[in-house]
Each structure stands twice: as C-alpha cells, then as structure tokens.
Amino acid sequence: MELAQEVPEISAYLAADEAIDHEHPLVRETVDRLRADTVDAYSYAAAAYEWVRDTIEHSVDSGDPRVTWRASDVLATRNGICHSKSHALAALLRAAGIPTALCYQGFAGDNGDPEVLHGLIAVRMPGRDRWDRQDPRGNKPGIDAQFSLDEERLAWVIGPQSNGVDYPVLYNAPHPAVLRAMQCAEDRAQLWRTLPTAL
C-alpha cells in the first residue's frame, strides 16, 4: 500500500499540538530517560516504541474505564486505547526529531458493517525516503506487533480475507472525528458508542 502525506511539508509531522504535546515536561523527561540507553535515532525509535507498547496498558486489556487522549496524560496514567498510545508514541518520537504520522485501519464485523477504527503511527526515519507503519497497541496472545523497518509487523494485517481496510492517509494530527470522540467521552463505554468506525 502506498502511504500519502495529508500535509506536504515534513515539518508538520514534527509539530506539537493539543494531543501530541511533546513540549510537556513529562514527555521531555521520558525522552531523556529513553535516550540515555540508545545510540542513534533507530535505537531510540525502537526503544520508544517498545516502551509505549509494553509499559502503557491498552485499556481494553486492563479493563481501565478512563479515556486518555493527550500524550502527556497517557504517559502519566500509563493507560489508553490504540489511539491514545499512538498519540504518546508520536510525541516521544517527534520530541526526538523523528517525523511521525498518525494513520488508521478499519475493521468490519461479520456482517460487513463497520466495527472498529484502529489507530497506529508511521515513522520517517533519517536516511530513508519512505514511511514505515508501526503499531504500539500492545501484545497479547494472538497479537505480536514489533518495531520493524524491513517488513510490517503490525497487530493486525489487512488482507483479502480480513474484512478490513488500510487507510493510506498519513495525518499530522489526530483525525478530528477521532479526537472529538475521545475528548467528549466520559468513560471508555461511552467512547465505544461515539468513536467513528470508518473514515
């Protein structure tokens, strides 16, 4: 699949905003801690990815009803759905000068109706002329996502048999409908009723 930037300027994928608040002290502190054990942009990106994937619990897996959407809040609570975790990872990567986009997958139910919109990221590593998608959702039995630039190792693969869609657009900020649903939800149960199921 060919990925396409929503905004042509690469600088847009380094910017801070209300959800990807990479200038927040907690984000900067986490970046400094992760950088201490890395030697280059690649090892930092892999470490940040693994930290978000493994340290921040996916709230569906943990049963946590809270909804976090701002990167600094995700880091503070160590909790969030896939979109939240993507915002946190984007903040950690952008703070280190690695262009990072938000992207989405859609999955249909058994009857073909839209069921869930999944959030992940794409990185543009130094020296590479392409974007590589990464999925920090969190592993569990049946899901084995890994940081990889050679081949995609996502939580879910969209194929001919999957009733899903890979959206090719690389967003510099969370999709407005996704962000609005997250900001307005009082808890995860309400979020499931209001989160878009397709773009």
Side-chain angles (χ1 to χ4, degrees):
M1 177 185 67
E2 188 169 334
L3 301 171
Q5 292 176 212
E6 180 190 35
V7 178
E9 295 79 19
I10 199 75
S11 60
Y13 298 89
L14 290 166
D17 60 32
E18 63 178 335
I20 304 170
D21 58 339
H22 65 68
E23 295 169 349
H24 189 280
L26 182 55
V27 176
R28 293 297 179 167
E29 175 186 312
T30 306
V31 170
D32 291 343
R33 199 168 55 247
L34 291 168
R35 270 190 170 153
D37 296 325
T38 60
V39 296
D40 57 18
Y42 178 87
S43 62
Y44 173 80
Y49 167 84
E50 290 172 5
W51 191 86
V52 170
R53 183 195 65 192
D54 300 341
T55 305
I56 298 171
E57 290 191 88
H58 192 291
S59 57
V60 170
D61 298 344
S62 68
D64 195 321
R66 295 175 293 175
V67 175
T68 54
W69 56 269
R70 186 178 285 116
S72 57
D73 293 337
V74 177
L75 297 180
T77 62
R78 303 273 179 107
N79 160 70
I81 64 169
C82 57
H83 302 286
S84 310
K85 294 181 71 163
S86 294
H87 300 172
L89 182 54
L92 294 175
L93 294 172
R94 288 183 183 187
I98 299 170
T100 306
L102 299 168
C103 44
Y104 302 91
Q105 293 176 314
F107 299 97
D110 293 336
N111 61 1
D113 292 335
E115 186 175 80
V116 66
L117 185 68
H118 178 58
L120 55 159
I121 66 145
V123 294
R124 182 88 178 248
M125 296 300 295
R128 290 177 70 86
D129 61 354
R130 54 174 276 181
W131 290 90
D132 296 287
R133 293 189 304 170
Q134 312 294 331
D135 191 340
R137 183 236 177 260
N139 290 338
K140 63 180 187 175
I143 297 176
D144 183 29
Q146 303 292 328
F147 184 83
S148 176
L149 302 179
D150 299 323
E151 62 176 315
E152 286 192 335
R153 301 280 308 275
L154 307 178
W156 292 282
V157 176
I158 303 293
Q161 315 291 328
S162 67
N163 278 343
V165 59
D166 279 315
Y167 293 102
V169 177
L170 298 170
Y171 295 90
N172 68 307
H175 190 282
V178 171
L179 186 59
R180 188 168 44 253
M182 295 178 77
Q183 290 172 325
C184 294
E186 293 181 12
D187 57 26
R188 193 164 35 84
Q190 182 184 5
L191 179 61
W192 285 164
R193 295 190 298 271
T194 58
L195 196 63
T197 56
L199 296 180

